[in-house]
Amino acid sequence: MPVHNVDIARAFEDVADLLELDEANPFRVRAYRNAARTIGTLNTPVESMLKKNGHALEGLPGIGADLAGKIGVMCRTGALPLLSQLKRKTPESLVTLLRIPGVGPKRAKLIFRRLGV
């Protein structure tokens, strides 16, 4: 099943949200958000870029070797292991709160803590 740019961008946004909930390094969170924005605005499918040149992604703004590798894994397998790992360690109700429009990681965490949702 092909992985589209929008799928990769969404996965990276989800990783950024979950990392932010986990109070990860803000630079790491920002790196995933920037990569999501870059991939989301590409006119060329990432999969075709990788087929032409396995290192083509590393030349894109905000995409280094590590993130390019994760994108490659996602294109090959359809899954992002880091996202799965973060989802497993985050309470499901907290992940659900993130799906509410206008509720970001900070507000979701606040609701979760104050209301015990």
Side-chain angles (χ1 to χ4, degrees):
M1 179 173 138
V3 176
H4 303 283
N5 292 6
V6 68
D7 301 321
I8 298 167
R10 187 177 313 118
F12 276 20
E13 275 295 334
D14 290 347
V15 166
D17 286 345
L18 294 172
L19 285 172
E20 192 170 336
L21 284 173
D22 201 30
E23 298 178 5
N25 182 320
F27 294 107
R28 186 173 183 210
V29 172
R30 191 173 316 124
Y32 278 95
R33 292 206 194 282
N34 290 340
R37 192 170 23 262
T38 296
I39 297 299
T41 58
L42 283 178
N43 293 325
T44 306
V46 169
E47 282 189 314
S48 66
M49 290 175 71
L50 287 172
K51 286 178 184 174
K52 288 181 185 176
N53 176 357
H55 297 284
L57 298 178
E58 293 175 36
L60 297 173
I63 308 288
D66 181 58
L67 291 178
K70 286 179 171 68
I71 294 168
V73 167
M74 194 168 178
C75 287
R76 284 189 306 278
T77 66
L80 184 59
L82 175 60
L83 180 57
S84 300
Q85 175 190 1
L86 290 169
K87 282 183 176 180
R88 276 194 307 274
K89 75 181 232 179
T90 305
E92 182 59 35
S93 58
L94 194 49
V95 173
T96 302
L97 285 171
L98 287 172
R99 294 185 192 128
I100 299 170
V103 176
K106 290 178 186 174
R107 184 167 289 153
K109 195 170 189 176
L110 180 68
I111 292 168
F112 182 80
R113 284 187 177 162
R114 290 220 176 136
L115 300 180
V117 176

